[in-house]
Amino acid sequence: AGNWIVDKVKMIDRWPGEGELCNILGQESGWGGGACNVLFDLAALDCGIPLYAAGVLGRDAEGQALLQEIRGRGIDDRFVSFSDRAATSFTDVMSVQGSGRRTFFHNRGANAELDDLHLSPIDVPAKLFYLGYLLLLDAMDRPDPAHGTVAAGVLKQMRARGYRTVVDVVSESASRFRVTVLPALEHVDCLIVNEVEAGCCSSRDVRRADGSVDGEALLASARFLLERGVQQLVVIHCPEGAVALERDGSLHAVPSCRIEEDAIVGSVGAGDAFCAGVLYGLHEELPLDEALRLGCAGAWFNLHSATASGGAPTLAQLTGHLAICTFNTMEW
């Protein structure tokens, strides 16, 4: 459940200063958003896991096209709703050639309407309930007197129904993390975030002045998130690799798959590709280190595509790459 977005990805030669000009080298359109990317990546694995989509689309051509894409990938669409007021959400993504670093200009659209009334009917034979992204779902992020936020109440309900809850967020200001994300944590079984988001939640700088990862600050952030309520597992990913800290104190760390910088086409959806690999591992009850490696391999494939899920591999491709790839060195 969560964000369903039309991504309009523009490859640019550099990021300009205000008032300056840069060149658009190419443009692609694709689908995006946490729920969309994770489900499409899982569908590409072709591994037989039943998948269910929940969210709100606009009653427009892009919403209809996205619905057909959901159905075409074999995903159950019974919990997809349509807004009578808002258009399908879209994002203009500016991706810098070479580095793959991207900047987002987002229109919230129909995603802003998703709330507990859309999700309360969910009753399917699934193991996991994923919600993404907090901080980008206006109705879910709004205050709720009983639970702190509407999202917290939904997650509590899903846990009560026996689902293992998984949450992802977007990078935002630290003050919004504390108000919107922290109240939901006690109803989250597994939190999957990047290093920037982890630092925002815990009010720590997880990168040093030279850009390197501060391993102690990263682990302190993971401990903080567990202390604030995450029930089972905190996973933090970044370009260098990933760490997972379990509630019993067990720590897991894996490096990322090495990729040459000039091979990076774009990084849109790389975090979601990582998340999909980890979710597959959790669903199949694989060792956590193996789940993290699957996530890193999924991100490696994603970096070869300009769109969020255009490079999504099959499970055979994912495991095949892990058998031959070179891993980066983790110095943190």
Side-chain angles (χ1 to χ4, degrees):
N3 293 97
W4 295 84
I5 300 170
V6 181
D7 280 337
K8 303 172 183 180
V9 184
K10 297 174 176 64
M11 301 298 301
I12 58 177
D13 58 351
R14 68 185 184 92
W15 183 254
E18 187 174 355
E20 296 180 351
L21 179 143
C22 70
N23 294 298
I24 298 174
L25 307 176
Q27 177 174 295
E28 292 189 43
S29 291
W31 310 116
C36 180
N37 294 342
V38 168
L39 278 176
F40 285 7
D41 287 336
L42 287 169
L45 292 179
D46 195 24
C47 57
I49 295 175
L51 304 171
Y52 305 86
V56 184
L57 307 177
R59 292 190 185 277
D60 47 31
E62 290 176 324
Q64 287 299 321
L66 186 44
L67 180 66
Q68 292 305 312
E69 191 73 23
I70 292 168
R71 292 173 174 171
R73 294 173 186 255
I75 299 169
D76 190 314
D77 70 331
R78 77 182 80 171
F79 304 111
V80 175
S81 302
F82 286 87
S83 170
D84 292 319
R85 298 179 297 276
T88 301
S89 176
F90 69 89
T91 302
D92 287 335
V93 184
M94 305 301 168
S95 186
V96 179
Q97 185 184 45
S99 71
R101 295 189 179 278
R102 69 265 196 253
T103 304
F104 304 92
F105 298 85
H106 180 62
N107 179 280
R108 279 167 146 76
N111 284 328
E113 299 180 11
L114 180 68
D115 63 14
D116 53 335
L117 296 179
H118 295 102
L119 303 180
S120 59
I122 291 176
D123 183 13
V124 294
K127 292 183 180 180
L128 305 173
F129 174 78
Y130 164 95
L131 180 62
Y133 310 109
L134 295 187
L135 298 170
L136 203 58
L137 294 165
D138 292 10
M140 297 291 286
D141 291 337
R142 72 179 188 268
D144 176 78
H147 303 101
T149 65
V150 172
V154 168
L155 291 164
K156 180 181 179 180
Q157 184 180 46
M158 294 304 162
R159 291 191 79 236
R161 294 180 183 178
Y163 301 119
R164 190 177 187 183
T165 56
V166 182
V167 164
D168 195 0
V169 304
V170 293
S171 300
E172 253 277 12
S173 65
S175 60
R176 284 206 67 210
F177 272 91
R178 289 190 287 273
V179 171
T180 305
V181 176
L182 296 185
L185 294 185
E186 66 177 297
H187 308 298
V188 175
D189 290 310
C190 179
L191 182 69
I192 301 178
V193 294
N194 66 31
E195 82 282 18
V196 175
E197 294 152 358
C200 283
C201 282
S202 64
S203 301
R204 287 177 173 84
D205 292 326
V206 297
R207 289 194 179 274
R208 303 183 182 93
D210 63 1
S212 63
V213 175
D214 184 335
E216 291 186 4
L218 200 70
L219 289 178
S221 295
R223 292 190 189 99
F224 170 84
L225 292 165
L226 285 168
E227 290 167 359
R228 289 302 299 261
V230 175
Q231 295 294 312
Q232 298 177 4
L233 177 68
V234 171
V235 179
I236 304 175
H237 61 88
C238 59
E240 293 88 347
V243 297
L245 185 63
E246 299 184 76
R247 176 154 288 282
D248 65 4
S250 299
L251 176 65
H252 308 262
V254 302
S256 58
C257 301
R258 184 170 299 171
I259 182 172
E260 298 300 326
E261 188 169 303
D262 59 6
I264 297 174
V265 178
S267 58
V268 178
D272 296 321
F274 171 86
C275 182
V278 173
L279 287 180
Y280 172 80
L282 294 177
H283 187 277
E284 298 301 290
E285 300 180 4
L286 300 177
L288 194 49
D289 284 14
E290 186 174 345
L292 295 176
R293 291 190 187 95
L294 288 169
C296 289
W300 183 90
F301 277 97
N302 171 275
L303 293 172
H304 291 81
S305 172
T307 59
S309 56
T314 64
L315 182 59
Q317 290 172 324
L318 202 63
T319 56
H321 177 69
L322 284 174
I324 63 172
C325 76
T326 301
F327 290 96
N328 287 312
T329 302
M330 291 180 70
E331 298 179 350
W332 41 281

